[in-house]
Structures are given as structure tokens and as C-alpha cells.
């Protein structure tokens, strides 16, 4: 196609061309002849280059395929988490190297039981972590969450459980400066209890065993806060069958500070309990002996609560009888034999002279028999002299509640009672 254009203006880099319908076209001046000036007419031929178009399209499609294979097919891989070592109170977790593909890393976080436990520092370099302060024989669930510019990827959940106190398989020992014979004995003891002996200090090293605190391994163990103990600690764990406290087995530690394990502690507890049982039995025997001795001594008279407010049932010379006898008093001769009856009230000679008192058989009592009753009462007072303090208290209570019955009450009581009502009451 041939086009005729008029040069309107020529600048250093761009020339302005005018069409016949007065349209402006900016054209590179370097493509025009050198002697072109304003007002010159130039012919420009325009043609389509098909081969160039095909080459450009081929190059574009190749670029798209390369981008797809690089960024669309290969993506970051989810992290793979696994358990490295477990003890009674700690877990050591490790994972495969992080594969980010062409993406950039944002963060790597560890989750425990569904909650975020923390972020992993330097995730491209760090491949393990140790979780301490866990509960004994408890199950936990962990998983990793990887965040990248290409998206977020999560590892599969890992379920693990801490060991029991009697499970010694989690003990991982690194040996320091030890005699060769003692080092062999240490390895044999660890094999018997199920522990492991490694040559280097790692994140899963639980104890560092040595007899002298020197060397690069010892320095690294101190920097990592790993307990440094003597070989006797492993022997104590084997003897006790459980994890023993390391306090008494540190280097330069006093052996007296070593605590007893469950076996020795239980033995001592049994001895203590047997000693306490023996002391208790001896104390009970001594108390029973004291009670038997006290039972041989005369016991003070114990008044029943019902008899405190009532006068004595057995009539005495010069005193009337009020109230009726109870069945428990009349039918319990054994109780009356053990208890000492209270002393008789003072005798009123005028009443004795005017009206005779009834006896247990309902007949008039003679003066001689009254004297016998008074003699018996005086002898009963002498028997109570051994327990004077308790008897005086009981006597005071009886004296406060007891009243002198009148002659009419005596007659009424005699009318209510039968002649044979007092046959079983001992005098």
C-alpha cells in the first residue's frame, strides 16, 4: 500500500506528517531521508509481515508453558512431622526440610492440641524442637502450619504420649570423660533398662554422664542445660526401676542429698507403719491394763436420772414412802447389788412415836429392827469413803431433789401399793 504524506515539522527525533484529510502522524525522523524539510512530500509503503507474526506467537506460547510448569505445577509441599524421642515430661519433634518450590516463606508454627504453641525460629535451618514441662503419661496432638506466598499448608496431626515413671526407654545419655571400663558398664546398664547411648550432644540428649567436668561435649551440654550426672545415677534408675532424681548425682554433689526411689521409700514407709502399729497396739494394751486395774477398785455410785427426782423406794424407819416402785428397779437385783443405796434421811422420833411405819411385809416394825436398819445404813456410808469426792456430788444432787414425805402421803402410798410390792427389793 502506497501512502503520500506531507512533512509538516521535523524535530530532532520525531517528524510530524500530514495526511490529505489533515490528520497528524508522528513518525520517527531517523526513518526519513536526510534532506527532508517542512513541506516535503514523502511516499511510505505499508505491508503486513505474516512470518513475523507467527514467530511472535510461537515465542509467546513457549513463555506461557514455561511459566505454567514453573509456578503452576510445582507448589510448596506440606511439612512432614514425626516424633524423635519421648520422656516422662518432654517430647522431641522433628520434620523434613521445608519445600517451598518457587514461593517465599512467611512463617512456620507449631500447634499443640489445636492451640498455637509458638513459631519455629529460622524454619529453613531448624528441623527439630523440644517441648518440655509436659504431664506424665499424657497424650498430646501436634501439627505444623506452613504459611507461604503461594498459600498455607498444614501437616498431618501427630499423636504421641509421654512415658510413665517406670518407662526408662526415653533416657538418652551422652558419655563424657569416663574410664573405659566404666563406660562399658554404663552402656550395658542402658541396654538393660532400654535407654540409648549416643556419641554427641543433641537436642534429644536427656543426661550427660561423666566423672570430670571438662571437654567440648561437657561445655555443649552445659550450654544446652542438660543435667550432668555421675554413672551412679543410671545404676540407681536400674535398681529402683524408675526415674530417680538427679539432685544427689550431680558432679561434686553430696551423696547424702540423694533421695530414695519408690522401692526404698515404700520399704521405709512399711517400716514406719509397722512401728506405728506396734506403738498403737502397746498403747491399747496399756490402756486395757489400766482399765482392768480401775475395774478392781470400788466404783462410785451412779444415780439414774429418773431416780434423782424421786425419793428412795425402800422405806426406812422414821421416813414415809412416796411414789410407786418401777419394774426395772424391782426386777433388777443385780443392779441394786452393784449400786450402794443412799443414806436414810434423818429420823423423826415424834412421828415414830405417834404412828408406826409399814415394813416390806406390811407389818409394824419394832424398835430393835429400826436399830438394825440404822446400823446397816452407817456401814454403807463407811463403804463409800473410798470415793468421797464423787459420792459427795451425787449426794448433794439427791439432797436437793429429795423432800420429806408427810404422814398422809405415807398412808396414801400404802393404800396404792400392795403388801407384796416390795418383797423383791433388797434392804
Amino acid at each position: 500500500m502506497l501512502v503520500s504524506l506531507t512533512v509538516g515539522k521535523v524535530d530532532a527525533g520525531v517528524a510530524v506528517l500530514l495526511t490529505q484529510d489533515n490528520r497528524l502522524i508522528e513518525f520517527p525522523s531517523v526513518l526519513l531521508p536526510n534532506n527532508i524539510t517542512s513541506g516535503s512530500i514523502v511516499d511510505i509503503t505499508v505491508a503486513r509481515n505474516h512470518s513475523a507474526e507467527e514467530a511472535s506467537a510461537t515465542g509467546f506460547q513457549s513463555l506461557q508453558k514455561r511459566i505454567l510448569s514453573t509456578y503452576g505445577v510445582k507448589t510448596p509441599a506440606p511439612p512432614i512431622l514425626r516424633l524423635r524421642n519421648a520422656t516422662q515430661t518432654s517430647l522431641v519433634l522433628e520434620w523434613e526440610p521445608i519445600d517451598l518450590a518457587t514461593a517465599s516463606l512467611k512463617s512456620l508454627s507449631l500447634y499443640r492440641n489445636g492451640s498455637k504453641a509458638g513459631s519455629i525460629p529460622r524454619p529453613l535451618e531448624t528441623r527439630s524442637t523440644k517441648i518440655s514441662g509436659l504431664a506424665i503419661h499424657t497424650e498430646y496432638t501436634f501439627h505444623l502450619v506452613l504459611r507461604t506466598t503461594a498459600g498455607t499448608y498444614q501437616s498431618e496431626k501427630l499423636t504421641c504420649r509421654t512415658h510413665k515413671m517406670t518407662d526408662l526407654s526415653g533416657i538418652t545419655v551422652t558419655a563424657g570423660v569416663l574410664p573405659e571400663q566404666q563406660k562399658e558398664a554404663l552402656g550395658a546398664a542402658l541396654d538393660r533398662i532400654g535407654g540409648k547411648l549416643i556419641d554427641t550432644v543433641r537436642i534429644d540428649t536427656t543426661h550427660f554422664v561423666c566423672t570430670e567436668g571438662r571437654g567440648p561435649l561437657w561445655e555443649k551440654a552445659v550450654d544446652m542445660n542438660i543435667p550432668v550426672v555421675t554413672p551412679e545415677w543410671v545404676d540407681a534408675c536400674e535398681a529402683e526401676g524408675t526415674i530417680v532424681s538427679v539432685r544427689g548425682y550431680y558432679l561434686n554433689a553430696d551423696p547424702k542429698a540423694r533421695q530414695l526411689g519408690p522401692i526404698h521409700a515404700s520399704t521405709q514407709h512399711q517400716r514406719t507403719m509397722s512401728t506405728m502399729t506396734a506403738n498403737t497396739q502397746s498403747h491399747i494394751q496399756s490402756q486395757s491394763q489400766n482399765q482392768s486395774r480401775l475395774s478392781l477398785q470400788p466404783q462410785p455410785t451412779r444415780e439414774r436420772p429418773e431416780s434423782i427426782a424421786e425419793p428412795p423406794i425402800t422405806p426406812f424407819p422414821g421416813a414415809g414412802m412416796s411414789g410407786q416402785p418401777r419394774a426395772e428397779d424391782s426386777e433388777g437385783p443385780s443392779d441394786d447389788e452393784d449400786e450402794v443405796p443412799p443414806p436414810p434421811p434423818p429420823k423423826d422420833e415424834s412421828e415414830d412415836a405417834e404412828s408406826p411405819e409399814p415394813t416390806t411385809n406390811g407389818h409394824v416394825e419394832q424398835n430393835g429392827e429400826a436399830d438394825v436398819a440404822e446400823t446397816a445404813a452407817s456401814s454403807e456410808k463407811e463403804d463409800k469413803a473410798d470415793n468421797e469426792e464423787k459420792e459427795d456430788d451425787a449426794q448433794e444432787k439427791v439432797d436437793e431433789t429429795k423432800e420429806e414425805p408427810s404422814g398422809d402421803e405415807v398412808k396414801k402410798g400404802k393404800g396404792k401399793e400392795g403388801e407384796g410390792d416390795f418383797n423383791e427389793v433388797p434392804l
Side-chain angles (χ1 to χ4, degrees):
M1 179 180 179
L2 181 61
V3 179
S4 296
L5 300 172
T6 303
V7 178
K9 181 181 180 181
V10 178
D11 289 336
V14 178
V16 179
L17 304 179
L18 300 176
T19 63
Q20 292 180 358
D21 55 356
N22 296 323
R23 294 181 181 275
L24 298 178
I25 297 175
E26 292 183 354
F27 195 81
S29 60
V30 295
L31 299 178
L32 297 176
N34 293 331
N35 55 355
I36 294 298
T37 59
S38 297
S40 300
I41 297 175
V42 295
D43 295 334
I44 298 175
T45 302
V46 178
R48 182 178 180 182
N49 192 343
H50 295 279
S51 61
E53 290 179 0
E54 292 178 0
S56 177
T58 303
F60 179 76
Q61 293 296 331
S62 176
L63 177 62
Q64 293 296 322
K65 290 180 181 179
R66 191 165 58 252
I67 292 174
L68 178 62
S69 62
T70 303
Y71 297 98
V73 176
K74 188 177 181 181
T75 58
I80 300 174
L81 182 66
R82 60 175 176 264
L83 177 65
R84 183 171 182 175
N85 188 33
T87 63
Q88 280 72 18
T89 58
S90 65
L91 295 171
V92 178
L93 306 177
E94 63 179 3
W95 52 89
E96 296 292 335
I98 301 299
D99 185 7
L100 297 175
T102 57
S104 299
L105 176 66
K106 289 185 176 180
S107 65
L108 180 63
S109 303
L110 178 67
Y111 283 73
R112 180 177 69 186
N113 295 337
S115 300
K116 185 177 180 180
S119 299
I120 304 299
R122 302 186 307 276
L124 296 178
E125 301 174 5
T126 306
R127 295 178 53 188
S128 61
T129 184
K130 185 176 183 179
I131 301 96
S132 303
L134 303 179
I136 299 173
H137 192 54
T138 305
E139 187 176 277
Y140 295 92
T141 303
F142 298 92
H143 70 276
L144 289 173
V145 176
L146 175 64
R147 293 180 175 86
T148 66
T149 56
T152 301
Y153 302 89
Q154 178 177 325
S155 68
E156 294 183 358
K157 292 185 178 181
L158 175 65
T159 301
C160 45
R161 180 183 293 272
T162 54
H163 289 177
K164 297 180 181 179
M165 291 300 293
T166 55
D167 188 356
L168 306 179
S169 60
I171 298 177
T172 304
V173 174
T174 300
V177 179
L178 284 174
E180 188 64 25
Q181 184 178 2
Q182 201 167 9
K183 188 174 183 179
E184 294 178 358
L186 175 63
L190 289 173
D191 291 338
R192 289 192 297 269
I193 65 177
K196 294 177 292 184
L197 180 64
I198 58 178
D199 297 332
T200 59
V201 178
R202 304 182 308 195
I203 190 173
D204 57 339
T205 300
T206 59
H207 299 83
F208 186 83
V209 178
C210 65
T211 55
E212 298 180 11
R214 58 185 176 87
L217 294 179
W218 174 78
E219 294 177 356
K220 187 176 181 180
V222 173
D223 293 339
M224 295 177 64
N225 294 325
I226 297 175
V228 180
V229 296
T230 58
E232 287 78 6
W233 178 81
V234 179
D235 298 335
C237 291
E238 182 181 6
E240 298 293 340
T242 184
I243 294 292
V244 178
S245 175
V246 298
R247 179 170 300 181
Y249 297 91
Y250 288 126
L251 293 179
N252 301 326
D254 187 6
K256 296 180 180 179
R258 297 175 181 175
Q259 298 179 358
L260 295 177
I263 297 178
H264 293 172
S266 61
T267 304
Q268 185 179 10
H269 178 69
Q270 291 177 358
R271 293 177 180 176
T272 305
M273 293 299 295
S274 61
T275 304
M276 295 175 60
T277 304
N279 295 336
T280 305
Q281 292 178 354
S282 61
H283 181 66
I284 293 174
Q285 292 178 358
S286 62
Q287 288 183 351
S288 61
Q289 292 177 0
N290 294 334
Q291 291 179 358
S292 61
R293 293 176 182 176
L294 291 174
S295 62
L296 297 176
Q297 298 178 359
Q299 299 295 328
T301 302
R302 296 180 181 178
E303 296 291 339
R304 296 182 180 179
E306 295 82 356
S307 61
I308 293 177
E310 298 178 358
I313 298 174
T314 306
F316 293 97
M321 179 184 67
S322 64
Q324 297 180 358
R326 294 174 297 177
E328 58 181 5
D329 294 333
S330 61
E331 295 179 2
S334 60
D335 295 338
D336 295 335
E337 291 176 1
D338 295 336
E339 296 181 357
V340 179
K347 182 173 63 175
D348 192 356
E349 296 178 356
S350 61
E351 293 181 358
D352 292 340
E354 294 176 359
S355 61
E357 296 294 330
T359 62
T360 56
N361 294 326
H363 301 285
V364 179
E365 190 174 345
Q366 300 298 326
N367 293 334
E369 294 178 355
D371 295 336
V372 173
E374 292 179 358
T375 305
S378 62
S379 62
E380 290 173 354
K381 291 182 180 180
E382 293 176 358
D383 293 336
K384 294 186 293 180
D386 295 334
N387 300 313
E388 183 178 1
E389 296 179 358
K390 296 182 179 180
E391 182 63 25
D392 293 340
D393 296 337
Q395 186 63 31
E396 290 176 0
K397 293 180 180 180
V398 173
D399 294 339
E400 291 176 358
T401 58
K402 183 168 59 178
E403 297 179 356
E404 289 290 339
S406 60
D408 297 334
E409 292 177 352
V410 172
K411 294 179 181 180
K412 292 179 181 180
K414 181 178 178 181
K416 293 180 181 179
E417 303 294 337
E419 293 182 356
D421 292 338
F422 299 94
N423 290 335
E424 295 181 359
V425 178
L427 297 176

